Amino acid sequence: MQWAPIGSEPLPPPLPPTRVDFTGDRSAFRKMVTKGAMLELVTFGFYRFWLVTDIRRHLWSDTAIDGDAAEYTGRAKELLIGFLVALAILVPIYLAYFLVGIEFERWQGFASTPLFISFYAFGQFAIFRARRYRLTRTVWRGVRFWMDGSGWLYSFRAMAWGLLVFLTLGIALPWREASLERYKMQHTHYGDLRGDFEGDGWTFFKRGWWLWLLTPLALLFFPAAPFVYAEFKAREWRWWLDGIRIGGVSLSSQLPHNAFYGLYWKVIGWWLLLSVVYSAYVAGAIALAVKISGLPVAQALGPGNAAKSIPMLVMMVIGYFALALAVNIIMRVYLQRDLWAKVLETVEVHNIGAAADVRGSGELASALGEGFADGLDVAGF
């Protein structure tokens, strides 16, 4: 008979990394956002709350980790109510600034500074609270993610770091991103597992220090801008994914540095093509208006013939909305769905077994943060 002392049993080898699978159908997504964009147009933008909810359900439900897909439980009605409440807060601020600007016209330039600071603070608060809302509506294996922490404290941190980034001409940006992400992740939970972020600013800076040097060139020479920005975003995504921790679970990514070149250039290509089509459409509308009026171009478009040019203006407005509709669809297909798929295909999850015995915890968050994010145009996925 053979025996071994208690506690001397060899530890089982760690499980191999788990891949993240995205199985979303691209044509189905394109049809969904096309229909949603048209409904946004006829509802003056209010359908976007339902469209955003549908997009998140599509992306979440087609994303599987270790064979189990995530679930998004948010509702469009929550987003609409949150937006209306946020609007009730933001509209008086806009109105007060407008009235102050009329009453004290010469001080209006100075008054814009505190307004900008206030809206920047609101925007950072909205980013934090919107993330909190999305997490509490994200479920995996029957357990909900959740988030605590103070949105206003996060806003104060973001403002302080933003000032430092401004004073250092952008050099402090990697350390700002690391500090803010660490605060968000340390207040992120999956059931009773607590999150953390191990990425640091120095690592981020080393990965893309030369991009800071190329930024002035990219601003002056447009064809270089998409390459610089795409390179920066790819390196940022990989750095961010490598730093995420949830309990004993960690992520890693092999996202190549040129992963987003094609996506950004496709968006730019479509935008240029649509701009050419829109310009031709406007030229056709002007030619039609001139032909109907029987007057020279200068007279037909002059202020004295405003009534006769109304049909042309209507055609131009219709063309503009059609252009905006097409750009909206392209942005969502390439920079939401395709970017999501491209990132996830490079992600591996390590030590997934650490999330096997997690217990549910946390409370649902309100959609007020999403409302502020919509009102200030800082909303994300």
Coordinates of all heavy atoms in Angstrom, one line a residue, residues 39-40 43 45-57 72-85 133-134 137 366-368 370-371 374:
L39 N -36.7 55.0 -38.5 CA -37.7 55.3 -37.5 C -37.2 56.5 -36.6 O -38.0 57.3 -36.2 CB -37.9 54.1 -36.6 CG -38.7 53.0 -37.3 CD1 -38.7 51.7 -36.4 CD2 -40.1 53.4 -37.6
E40 N -35.9 56.6 -36.4 CA -35.4 57.8 -35.8 C -35.7 59.1 -36.5 O -36.1 60.1 -35.9 CB -33.8 57.7 -35.6 CG -33.3 56.9 -34.5 CD -31.8 57.1 -34.3 OE1 -31.1 56.6 -35.2 OE2 -31.3 57.7 -33.4
T43 N -39.5 59.9 -36.1 CA -39.9 60.2 -34.8 C -39.0 61.3 -34.2 O -39.0 61.5 -32.9 CB -39.7 58.9 -33.9 OG1 -38.4 58.5 -33.9 CG2 -40.6 57.8 -34.4
G45 N -35.9 61.6 -33.7 CA -34.8 61.1 -32.8 C -35.2 60.3 -31.6 O -34.4 59.7 -31.0
F46 N -36.5 60.3 -31.3 CA -36.9 59.6 -30.0 C -36.8 58.1 -30.1 O -36.8 57.4 -29.1 CB -38.3 60.0 -29.6 CG -38.4 61.3 -28.9 CD1 -38.5 62.5 -29.5 CD2 -38.2 61.3 -27.5 CE1 -38.5 63.7 -28.8 CE2 -38.2 62.5 -26.8 CZ -38.4 63.7 -27.4
Y47 N -36.8 57.5 -31.4 CA -36.7 56.1 -31.5 C -35.3 55.6 -31.1 O -35.1 54.4 -30.9 CB -37.0 55.6 -32.9 CG -37.1 54.1 -33.0 CD1 -38.2 53.4 -32.6 CD2 -36.0 53.4 -33.6 CE1 -38.2 52.0 -32.7 CE2 -36.1 52.0 -33.7 CZ -37.2 51.3 -33.3 OH -37.2 50.0 -33.3
R48 N -34.3 56.5 -31.0 CA -32.9 56.0 -30.7 C -32.8 55.2 -29.4 O -31.9 54.4 -29.3 CB -32.0 57.2 -30.7 CG -32.1 58.1 -29.5 CD -31.0 59.2 -29.6 NE -31.0 60.1 -28.4 CZ -31.7 61.2 -28.4 NH1 -32.5 61.5 -29.4 NH2 -31.6 62.0 -27.3
F49 N -33.7 55.5 -28.4 CA -33.7 54.7 -27.2 C -34.0 53.2 -27.4 O -33.4 52.4 -26.8 CB -34.6 55.3 -26.2 CG -34.4 56.8 -25.9 CD1 -35.3 57.7 -26.4 CD2 -33.3 57.2 -25.2 CE1 -35.1 59.1 -26.2 CE2 -33.0 58.6 -25.0 CZ -34.0 59.5 -25.5
W50 N -34.9 53.0 -28.3 CA -35.3 51.6 -28.7 C -34.2 51.0 -29.6 O -33.8 49.8 -29.4 CB -36.6 51.6 -29.4 CG -37.8 51.7 -28.5 CD1 -38.5 50.6 -28.0 CD2 -38.3 52.9 -27.9 NE1 -39.5 51.1 -27.1 CE2 -39.4 52.5 -27.0 CE3 -38.0 54.2 -27.9 CZ2 -40.1 53.4 -26.3 CZ3 -38.7 55.1 -27.2 CH2 -39.8 54.7 -26.4
L51 N -33.6 51.8 -30.4 CA -32.5 51.3 -31.3 C -31.3 51.0 -30.5 O -30.7 49.9 -30.7 CB -32.2 52.3 -32.4 CG -31.0 52.0 -33.3 CD1 -31.3 50.6 -34.0 CD2 -30.8 53.1 -34.4
V52 N -30.9 51.8 -29.6 CA -29.7 51.6 -28.7 C -29.9 50.3 -27.9 O -29.0 49.5 -27.8 CB -29.5 52.8 -27.7 CG1 -28.5 52.4 -26.6 CG2 -28.9 53.9 -28.5
T53 N -31.2 50.1 -27.4 CA -31.5 48.9 -26.7 C -31.3 47.6 -27.5 O -30.8 46.6 -27.1 CB -32.9 49.0 -26.1 OG1 -33.0 50.1 -25.2 CG2 -33.2 47.7 -25.3
D54 N -31.9 47.7 -28.8 CA -31.8 46.6 -29.7 C -30.3 46.3 -30.1 O -29.9 45.1 -30.2 CB -32.5 46.9 -31.0 CG -34.1 46.9 -30.8 OD1 -34.5 46.3 -29.8 OD2 -34.8 47.5 -31.6
I55 N -29.5 47.4 -30.3 CA -28.1 47.2 -30.6 C -27.4 46.4 -29.4 O -26.6 45.5 -29.7 CB -27.4 48.5 -30.9 CG1 -27.9 49.1 -32.2 CG2 -25.9 48.4 -30.9 CD1 -27.4 50.5 -32.5
R56 N -27.6 46.9 -28.2 CA -26.9 46.3 -27.1 C -27.4 44.8 -26.9 O -26.6 43.9 -26.6 CB -27.2 47.1 -25.8 CG -26.5 48.4 -25.8 CD -26.9 49.2 -24.6 NE -26.3 50.5 -24.6 CZ -26.6 51.5 -23.8 NH1 -27.5 51.4 -22.9 NH2 -26.0 52.7 -23.9
R57 N -28.6 44.5 -27.1 CA -29.1 43.1 -27.0 C -28.5 42.3 -28.1 O -28.1 41.1 -27.8 CB -30.6 43.1 -27.1 CG -31.4 43.6 -25.9 CD -32.9 43.6 -26.1 NE -33.5 44.1 -24.9 CZ -34.8 44.5 -24.8 NH1 -35.5 44.4 -25.9 NH2 -35.3 44.9 -23.7
Y72 N -28.5 41.3 -22.1 CA -28.7 42.7 -21.7 C -30.2 42.9 -21.4 O -31.1 42.5 -22.2 CB -28.4 43.6 -22.9 CG -28.6 45.1 -22.7 CD1 -27.8 45.8 -21.8 CD2 -29.7 45.8 -23.2 CE1 -28.0 47.2 -21.6 CE2 -29.9 47.1 -22.9 CZ -29.1 47.8 -22.1 OH -29.3 49.1 -21.8
T73 N -30.5 43.4 -20.2 CA -31.8 43.4 -19.7 C -32.4 44.8 -19.6 O -33.5 45.0 -19.0 CB -31.9 42.8 -18.3 OG1 -31.1 43.5 -17.3 CG2 -31.5 41.3 -18.3
G74 N -31.6 45.8 -20.1 CA -32.1 47.2 -20.1 C -33.4 47.4 -21.0 O -33.6 46.6 -21.9
R75 N -34.1 48.4 -20.7 CA -35.3 48.7 -21.5 C -35.3 50.1 -22.0 O -34.8 51.0 -21.4 CB -36.6 48.5 -20.6 CG -36.8 47.1 -20.2 CD -38.1 46.9 -19.4 NE -38.0 47.8 -18.1 CZ -39.0 48.0 -17.4 NH1 -40.2 47.6 -17.7 NH2 -38.9 48.8 -16.3
A76 N -35.9 50.3 -23.2 CA -35.8 51.6 -23.9 C -36.6 52.6 -23.1 O -36.2 53.8 -23.0 CB -36.5 51.4 -25.3
K77 N -37.7 52.2 -22.4 CA -38.4 53.1 -21.6 C -37.6 53.7 -20.5 O -37.7 54.9 -20.1 CB -39.7 52.4 -21.0 CG -40.7 53.3 -20.3 CD -41.8 52.6 -19.7 CE -42.6 51.8 -20.7 NZ -43.8 51.2 -20.1
E78 N -36.7 52.9 -19.9 CA -35.8 53.5 -18.9 C -34.9 54.6 -19.4 O -34.7 55.6 -18.8 CB -34.9 52.3 -18.3 CG -35.7 51.3 -17.5 CD -34.8 50.1 -17.1 OE1 -33.8 49.9 -17.8 OE2 -35.1 49.4 -16.2
L79 N -34.4 54.3 -20.6 CA -33.5 55.3 -21.2 C -34.3 56.6 -21.6 O -33.8 57.7 -21.4 CB -32.9 54.8 -22.5 CG -32.0 53.5 -22.4 CD1 -31.4 53.1 -23.7 CD2 -30.9 53.8 -21.4
L80 N -35.5 56.4 -22.1 CA -36.3 57.6 -22.4 C -36.6 58.4 -21.1 O -36.5 59.7 -21.1 CB -37.6 57.2 -23.0 CG -38.6 58.3 -23.4 CD1 -38.0 59.3 -24.3 CD2 -39.9 57.7 -23.9
I81 N -37.0 57.8 -20.1 CA -37.3 58.5 -18.8 C -36.1 59.2 -18.3 O -36.1 60.4 -17.9 CB -37.9 57.6 -17.8 CG1 -39.3 57.1 -18.3 CG2 -38.1 58.2 -16.4 CD1 -39.9 56.0 -17.4
G82 N -34.9 58.5 -18.3 CA -33.7 59.1 -17.8 C -33.3 60.3 -18.7 O -32.8 61.3 -18.1
F83 N -33.5 60.2 -20.0 CA -33.2 61.4 -20.9 C -34.1 62.5 -20.6 O -33.6 63.7 -20.5 CB -33.4 60.9 -22.3 CG -33.2 62.1 -23.3 CD1 -32.0 62.6 -23.6 CD2 -34.4 62.6 -23.9 CE1 -31.9 63.6 -24.5 CE2 -34.3 63.6 -24.8 CZ -33.0 64.2 -25.1
L84 N -35.4 62.3 -20.3 CA -36.3 63.4 -20.1 C -36.0 64.1 -18.7 O -36.1 65.3 -18.6 CB -37.8 62.9 -20.1 CG -38.3 62.4 -21.4 CD1 -39.7 61.8 -21.3 CD2 -38.3 63.5 -22.4
V85 N -35.6 63.3 -17.7 CA -35.3 63.9 -16.4 C -34.0 64.7 -16.6 O -33.9 65.8 -16.1 CB -35.1 62.7 -15.4 CG1 -34.5 63.3 -14.1 CG2 -36.4 62.0 -15.1
Y133 N -25.2 52.1 -15.2 CA -26.5 51.5 -15.7 C -26.3 50.3 -16.6 O -26.9 49.3 -16.4 CB -27.2 52.7 -16.4 CG -28.4 52.2 -17.2 CD1 -29.6 52.0 -16.5 CD2 -28.4 51.9 -18.5 CE1 -30.7 51.5 -17.2 CE2 -29.5 51.4 -19.2 CZ -30.7 51.2 -18.5 OH -31.8 50.7 -19.2
R134 N -25.3 50.4 -17.5 CA -25.1 49.3 -18.5 C -24.7 48.1 -17.8 O -25.1 47.0 -18.1 CB -24.1 49.7 -19.6 CG -24.6 50.8 -20.5 CD -23.7 50.9 -21.7 NE -22.4 51.4 -21.4 CZ -22.1 52.7 -21.3 NH1 -23.0 53.6 -21.6 NH2 -20.9 53.1 -21.0
R137 N -27.4 46.1 -16.0 CA -28.3 45.5 -17.0 C -27.6 44.4 -17.8 O -28.1 43.9 -18.8 CB -28.9 46.5 -18.0 CG -30.2 47.1 -17.5 CD -30.1 47.8 -16.2 NE -31.4 48.5 -15.8 CZ -31.5 49.2 -14.8 NH1 -30.4 49.5 -14.0 NH2 -32.6 49.8 -14.4
S366 N -30.3 53.6 -11.7 CA -31.2 54.3 -12.6 C -30.6 54.7 -13.9 O -29.4 54.7 -14.0 CB -31.7 55.6 -11.9 OG -30.7 56.5 -11.9
A367 N -31.4 55.1 -14.9 CA -30.9 55.5 -16.2 C -30.7 56.9 -16.3 O -30.5 57.5 -17.4 CB -32.0 55.0 -17.2
L368 N -30.6 57.7 -15.2 CA -30.3 59.1 -15.2 C -29.0 59.4 -15.9 O -28.9 60.4 -16.7 CB -30.4 59.7 -13.8 CG -30.1 61.2 -13.7 CD1 -31.2 62.0 -14.5 CD2 -30.1 61.7 -12.3
E370 N -27.5 57.7 -18.2 CA -27.6 57.5 -19.6 C -28.3 58.8 -20.2 O -28.0 59.2 -21.3 CB -28.4 56.3 -19.9 CG -27.6 55.0 -19.8 CD -27.0 54.6 -21.1 OE1 -27.1 55.4 -22.1 OE2 -26.3 53.5 -21.1
G371 N -29.3 59.3 -19.4 CA -30.0 60.5 -19.9 C -29.0 61.7 -20.1 O -29.1 62.4 -21.1
D374 N -26.8 61.1 -23.1 CA -27.5 61.4 -24.3 C -27.6 62.9 -24.5 O -27.4 63.5 -25.6 CB -28.9 60.8 -24.4 CG -29.0 59.5 -25.1 OD1 -28.4 59.4 -26.2 OD2 -29.5 58.5 -24.5

